[in-house]
């Protein structure tokens, strides 16, 4: 590349099309036709290189893929594509060539860039519905055939080359082989414990009856939920005004860099508050992932609009910590903050209540005291609820009434099933923070029988690096006995006790001493579950971990690992024999899901272990158990969509609407074992490919796979091409497109969205190749021995059928 280094350069000419245009390809084609220069397009990775090359090829532009800039210089090719991390393009006089970046190529189409940015964020739906955690023997749901057991991936050749199939086992030892292109019909079964899943008999009508019952319930639920949603939408909330200068000054007080998810959540909350509709957003993020900052920004906007803010927390310790955090961040602003909890004297509480009533206090942080009937606010505008599932039934009823009056922001690490499901259906606004802060490490989790050796080894490892330890023993009656045992076992440790039955001031002093490292071993109850943020405490030992719920274990584990140090969690049990089956599953789930951001996934495990619960009822069973939570939410989503568009939802809807068009090109389409030998990874990728909802998502997934595993083999390119055809055919109302070496047929839905004149012209001009076979079938007679010709013919036909 010596020539390039010494040659004079000038900025690359603008290849963008009009800003209102959708496609920059016309400008690029014009440039290639009119310029004498050679052109090199640089993209950010090998995956993008392959995707862009395929995309350009479909539009008649055929760049050569080169590995380096030097390779391009030494080649005679006038138009090439290279993976290179450059920010802006340039032009060289000698040799005469033009370098354009992909960003510049798409600059006219900001939607494309925004779409790619969005796909990098966490995809809530895929977290719940993918197959990444399915093991052999686990139950899965096939939307058309019911609940069966996953028995692995098998490769078979049915005459068109090898293809992979999902092998499912049903009742009476019957089997079903599902092509990988139909994996969008398969979801994880979440209803009862996997061992108790009700397997269906193929062809018995049992599954049809179960789905019909579920659909009836779903219709009713959807109607009620939409009614609730409509009532909320009709009520206009307070439209807060944002003062950018002040807001930016406040945001600068955040000492860390925002993660992409956190930024997206903050933007969503600001958008809610500044719109006319009332705010009711759920922000789900793991412990320590930055939910508090989202709350701080929301509170700031409300306070700058002269509205009062109430922050409702489940524990006194969390109230104390939030009070410290909010006081620090609002220190330079004219905001008066009060705390209502057991840590405050009766006189302080009375003064705070009076201040809220007369408006002299702007922001209050408190426990359930905030929900008392005698609580009066002068001008309450925003309520922030931390961990709503920790409040009782009576408090939740009061919260429901609050929702009718003010804007609500809810923060949670592990959403309860009903909240989760409502968020999934778009009936509650929902943001997920699943990106870990920089340098944060996953907590290493160990499940072991109670052993003094394990306790001593774990504690000494932490003490030797100058850290602190939580030892959770949730029996107040025997906590003193445990203290004596630990003092004998660990004479090196400075042990203090903290639990909820201690006098407030004494507990407060213990917690302050631990925070300021005057003691290094805290023997405590679950009072530490929410709120305590001690960066130097990086080992937690939980005694009798089998007695805790999954969400609770996740919260407790989140007390450690709040800094860049490696943290450890030890879950001690009385021994495998003494554990119930559900306790074993909980401990297994939390040990397996120790990666950062697992709180959301754990919430879905909770559904499986203790039952999903109906969205509007109190029962923890129902139709969800019969058909699985994942399919239930899928049916509910469809029912909501249908009712919104004025239709009655039913299973009799057209299959093309529900499942997408069926594409059969009689060519091998799979991820070969030689390319990716991990069966589990292949299964997950098959599911993601089959479930892609739009072309941009599919192309970004293709880029990701190339970047992770290398250039795609031909069979995998076929798989992506067939999925692209499916995405193009489905909105046209095509049920099936079948093309083989000698032609094939297109089967239309009763009311397809195609251009009828295009079909008539096609038949009139080429009667030897195309003919109608009844009102819903188009026959095709073409010699298409070459798979590439088949793909091109299918693409051309779909483009022709689209309405202009």
């Amino acid at each position: 590349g010596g020539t390039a280094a010494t040659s004079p350069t000038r900025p690359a000419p603008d290849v963008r099309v009009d800003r209102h245009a959708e496609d920059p390809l016309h400008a690029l084609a014009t440039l290639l036709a009119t310029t004498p220069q050679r052109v090199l397009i640089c993209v950010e990775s090998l995956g993008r290189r392959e995707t862009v090359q395929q995309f350009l090829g479909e539009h008649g532009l055929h760049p050569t893929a080169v590995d380096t800039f030097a390779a391009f210089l030494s080649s005679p090719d006038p138009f090439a594509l290279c993976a290179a991390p450059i920010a802006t393009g340039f032009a060289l006089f000698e040799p005469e060539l033009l370098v354009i970046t992909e960003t510049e190529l798409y600059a006219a189409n900001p939607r494309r860039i925004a779409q790619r940015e969005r796909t990098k964020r966490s995809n809530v739906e895929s977290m719940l519905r993918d197959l990444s955690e399915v093991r052999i023997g686990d139950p899965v749901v096939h939307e058309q055939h019911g609940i069966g057991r996953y028995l692995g991936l098998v490769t078979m050749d049915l005459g068109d080359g090898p293809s992979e199939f999902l092998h499912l086992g049903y009742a009476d030892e019957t089997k079903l082989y599902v092509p990988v292109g139909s994996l969008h019909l398969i979801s994880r079964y979440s209803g009862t414990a996997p061992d108790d899943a009700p397997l269906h008999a193929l062809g018995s009508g049992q599954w049809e009856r179960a789905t019909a019952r579920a659909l009836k319930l779903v219709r009713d639920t959807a109607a009620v939920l939409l009614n609730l949603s409509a009532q909320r939408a009709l009520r206009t909330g307070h439209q807060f005004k944002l003062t950018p200068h002040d807001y930016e000054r406040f945001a600068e007080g955040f000492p860390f860099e925002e993660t992409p998810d956190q930024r997206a959540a903050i933007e969503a909350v600001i958008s809610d508050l500044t719109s006319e509709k009332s705010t009711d957003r759920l922000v789900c993020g793991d412990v320590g992932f930055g939910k508090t900052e989202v709350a701080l920004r929301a509170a700031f906007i409300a306070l700058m609009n002269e509205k009062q803010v109430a922050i409702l927390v489940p524990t006194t310790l969390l109230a104390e910590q939030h009070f410290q955090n909010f006081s620090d961040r609002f220190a330079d602003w004219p905001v008066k903050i009060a705390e209502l909890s057991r840590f405050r004297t009766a006189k302080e509480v009375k003064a705070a209540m009076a201040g809220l009533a007369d408006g002299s206090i702007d922001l209050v942080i408190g426990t359930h005291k905030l929900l008392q009937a005698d609580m009066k606010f002068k001008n309450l505008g925003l309520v922030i609820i931390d961990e709503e599932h920790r409040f009782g039934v009576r408090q939740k009823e009061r919260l429901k009434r609050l929702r009718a009056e003010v804007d609500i922001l809810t923060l949670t690490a592990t959403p309860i099933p009903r909240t989760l499901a409502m968020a999934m259906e778009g009936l509650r606004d929902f943001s997920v923070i699943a990106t870990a802060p920089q340098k944060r490490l996953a907590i290493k989790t160990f499940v072991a029988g109670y052993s003094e050796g394990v306790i001593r080894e774990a504690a000494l490892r932490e003490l030797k690096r100058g850290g602190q330890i939580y030892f959770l023993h949730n029996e107040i009656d025997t906590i003193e006995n445990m203290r004596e045992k630990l003092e004998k076992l660990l004479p090196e440790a400075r042990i203090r006790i903290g639990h909820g039955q201690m006098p407030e001031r004494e507990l407060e002093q213990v917690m302050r001493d631990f925070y300021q490292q005057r003691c290094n071993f805290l023997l405590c109850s679950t009072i530490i579950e929410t709120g305590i943020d001690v960066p130097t405490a990086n080992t937690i030992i939980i005694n009798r971990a089998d007695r805790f719920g999954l969400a609770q274990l996740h919260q407790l584990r989140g007390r450690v690992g709040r800094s860049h140090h490696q943290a450890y969690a030890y879950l001690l049990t009385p021994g495998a024999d003494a554990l119930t089956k559900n306790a074993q599953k909980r401990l297994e789930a939390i040990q397996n899901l120790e990666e950062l951001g697992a709180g959301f996934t754990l919430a879905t495990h909770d559904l499986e272990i203790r039952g999903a619960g109906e969205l509007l009822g109190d029962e923890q069973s129902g139709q969800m158990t019969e058909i699985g939570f994942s399919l239930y939410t899928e049916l509910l989503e469809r029912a909501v969509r249908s009712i919104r568009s004025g239709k009655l939802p039913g299973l009799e809807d057209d299959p093309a609407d529900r499942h997408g068009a069926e594409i059969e090109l009689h060519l091998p389409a799979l991820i070969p074992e030689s390319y990716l030998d991990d069966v589990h990874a292949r299964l997950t990728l098959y599911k993601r490919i089959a479930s892609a909802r739009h072309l941009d998502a599919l192309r970004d997934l293709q880029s990701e796979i190339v970047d992770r595993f290398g250039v795609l083999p031909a069979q995998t390119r076929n798989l992506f091409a067939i999925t692209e055809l499916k995405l193009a055919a489905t909105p046209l109302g095509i049920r099936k497109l079948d093309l083989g070496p000698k032609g094939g047929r297109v089967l239309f839905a009763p009311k397809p969205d195609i251009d009828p004149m295009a079909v008539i012209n096609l038949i009139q001009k080429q009667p030897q190749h195309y003919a109608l076979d009844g009102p819903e079938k188009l026959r095709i007679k073409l010699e298409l021995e070459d798979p590439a010709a088949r793909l091109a013919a299918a693409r051309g036909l779909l483009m022709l059928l689209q309405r202009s």
Side-chain angles (χ1 to χ4, degrees), residues 53 69 216 263 270 301 384 419 486 488 525 538 563 568 576 599 637 644 664 682 705 713 719 728 737 747 779 796:
Q53 185 177 27
F69 186 57
K216 185 177 182 303
R263 197 177 310 120
I270 292 173
I301 292 168
I384 298 169
T419 310
L486 290 169
K488 285 178 188 168
S525 66
N538 284 301
S563 66
Y568 301 91
E637 190 179 307
R644 274 185 175 148
E664 181 54 78
R682 287 209 308 279
I705 292 172
L719 181 64
L737 168 60
L747 185 64
R779 287 258 173 223

Side-chain angles (χ1 to χ4, degrees), residues 309-311 313 315-327 336-353 356 361-370 375 504-505 508 512:
V309 177
I311 298 167
V313 296
T315 66
T316 48
L317 288 174
L318 186 51
E320 175 74 5
Q321 180 152 331
H322 275 332
F323 180 70
Q324 296 295 338
N325 286 340
F326 277 73
S327 298
K336 190 159 185 198
I337 302 175
E339 180 191 353
L340 289 180
S341 74
R342 287 193 301 127
F343 286 154
R344 301 292 153 186
T345 62
K347 187 179 175 183
E348 286 172 321
V349 168
K350 191 177 176 185
M353 288 175 74
L356 290 167
I361 287 177
D362 306 299
L363 185 147
V364 62
I365 298 162
T367 53
H368 57 275
K369 286 179 186 286
L370 281 180
M375 200 73 210
E504 288 86 343
R505 295 295 170 191
E508 186 181 1
R512 286 189 194 284

Side-chain angles (χ1 to χ4, degrees), residues 172-489:
D172 306 324
E173 298 188 6
T174 49
K175 294 175 183 176
L176 182 70
Y177 294 94
V178 183
V180 289
S182 299
L183 282 199
H184 56 290
L185 301 177
I186 308 287
S187 55
R188 292 171 60 227
Y189 175 77
S190 308
T192 59
D195 295 344
D196 303 328
L199 298 189
H200 291 101
L202 289 175
S204 66
Q206 187 185 358
W207 175 244
E208 287 76 9
R209 289 191 293 275
T211 44
R213 283 193 297 271
L215 192 66
K216 185 177 182 303
L217 178 75
V218 156
R219 283 175 182 160
D220 298 342
T221 305
V224 176
L225 287 173
L226 280 171
N227 186 37
L228 289 173
S229 187
Q231 285 174 5
R232 205 187 105 220
L234 286 172
R235 184 181 67 79
T236 51
H238 180 79
Q239 190 173 2
F240 293 94
K241 291 188 170 45
L242 181 69
T243 313
H245 177 69
D246 287 345
Y247 173 77
E248 281 161 21
R249 246 184 77 207
F250 180 77
E252 281 166 10
F254 183 50
F256 307 102
E257 189 180 338
E258 296 160 3
T259 64
D261 287 354
Q262 193 181 26
R263 197 177 310 120
I266 290 168
E267 286 167 6
V269 170
I270 292 173
S271 171
D272 289 349
L273 291 171
T274 53
S275 73
E276 288 183 356
K277 71 174 184 119
S278 62
T279 302
D280 186 7
R281 180 168 290 275
L282 173 71
V283 177
C284 173
D286 247 356
V287 225
F289 274 35
K291 299 188 297 292
T292 306
E293 183 61 23
V294 180
L296 277 158
R297 306 276 179 98
F300 177 81
I301 292 168
L303 292 165
M304 291 303 107
N305 281 261
E306 299 183 351
K307 289 280 188 181
Q308 290 174 304
V309 177
I311 298 167
L312 184 63
V313 296
T315 66
T316 48
L317 288 174
L318 186 51
E320 175 74 5
Q321 180 152 331
H322 275 332
F323 180 70
Q324 296 295 338
N325 286 340
F326 277 73
S327 298
D328 289 347
R329 283 297 294 281
F330 284 103
D332 298 333
W333 298 88
V335 172
K336 190 159 185 198
I337 302 175
E339 180 191 353
L340 289 180
S341 74
R342 287 193 301 127
F343 286 154
R344 301 292 153 186
T345 62
K347 187 179 175 183
E348 286 172 321
V349 168
K350 191 177 176 185
M353 288 175 74
L356 290 167
D358 65 25
S360 59
I361 287 177
D362 306 299
L363 185 147
V364 62
I365 298 162
T367 53
H368 57 275
K369 286 179 186 286
L370 281 180
L371 297 174
Q372 289 172 0
D374 57 348
M375 200 73 210
K376 299 283 187 293
F377 291 88
K378 185 180 181 186
N379 191 17
L380 181 63
L382 175 67
V383 174
I384 298 169
I385 305 165
D386 206 345
E387 299 298 348
E388 184 178 11
H389 66 274
R390 301 288 308 284
F391 295 98
V393 175
R394 282 198 306 277
Q395 285 104 339
K396 283 181 181 166
E397 285 306 312
R398 175 78 180 107
L399 287 174
K400 273 184 193 167
R401 288 198 296 277
L402 265 180
R403 275 196 164 84
E405 301 158 16
V406 294
D407 288 325
I408 302 271
L409 175 64
T410 307
L411 314 175
T412 184
T414 46
I416 55 176
R418 192 169 306 160
T419 310
L420 178 66
M422 287 182 77
M424 290 296 301
E425 305 328 313
L427 297 165
R428 267 192 87 175
D429 298 318
F430 193 35
S431 297
V432 173
I433 305 179
T435 320
Q438 283 187 330
K439 297 184 180 176
R440 182 71 58 85
L441 299 171
I443 302 162
K444 289 198 183 300
T445 306
F446 305 97
V447 177
Y450 180 89
S451 152
E452 290 190 343
V454 169
I455 295 169
R456 179 163 172 78
E457 184 189 339
L460 285 180
R461 181 196 287 123
E462 189 61 55
L463 294 174
K464 279 177 182 171
R465 63 175 180 174
Q468 293 168 280
I469 300 141
Y470 293 109
F471 188 101
L472 196 130
H473 179 84
N474 206 34
E475 293 176 10
I476 308 296
D477 296 343
T478 59
I479 202 163
E480 280 294 342
N481 297 344
M482 181 53 76
R483 175 193 184 133
E484 288 171 17
K485 280 187 192 173
L486 290 169
E487 281 176 339
K488 285 178 188 168
L489 184 64

Side-chain angles (χ1 to χ4, degrees), residues 15 72 95 218 253 296 334 365 367 380 409 423 431 437 459 480 507 509 584 603 615 624 655 735-736 762:
V15 297
F72 173 60
V218 156
L296 277 158
I365 298 162
T367 53
L380 181 63
L409 175 64
S431 297
E480 280 294 342
L507 176 60
Q509 190 56 50
Q584 280 177 331
L615 289 185
M624 288 192 190
R735 283 180 172 175
K736 186 169 186 174
L762 191 66

Side-chain angles (χ1 to χ4, degrees), residues 447 550 571 582-593:
V447 177
L550 193 53
L571 313 182
N582 278 355
Q584 280 177 331
K585 284 184 168 52
R586 284 196 299 272
L587 294 168
E588 202 176 288
I590 197 153
Q591 190 173 18
N592 289 340
L593 284 168

Side-chain angles (χ1 to χ4, degrees), residues 163 209 233 238 242 414 527 574 619 636 691:
S163 291
R209 289 191 293 275
H238 180 79
L242 181 69
T414 46
I527 193 160
E619 298 171 27
L636 182 61
S691 303

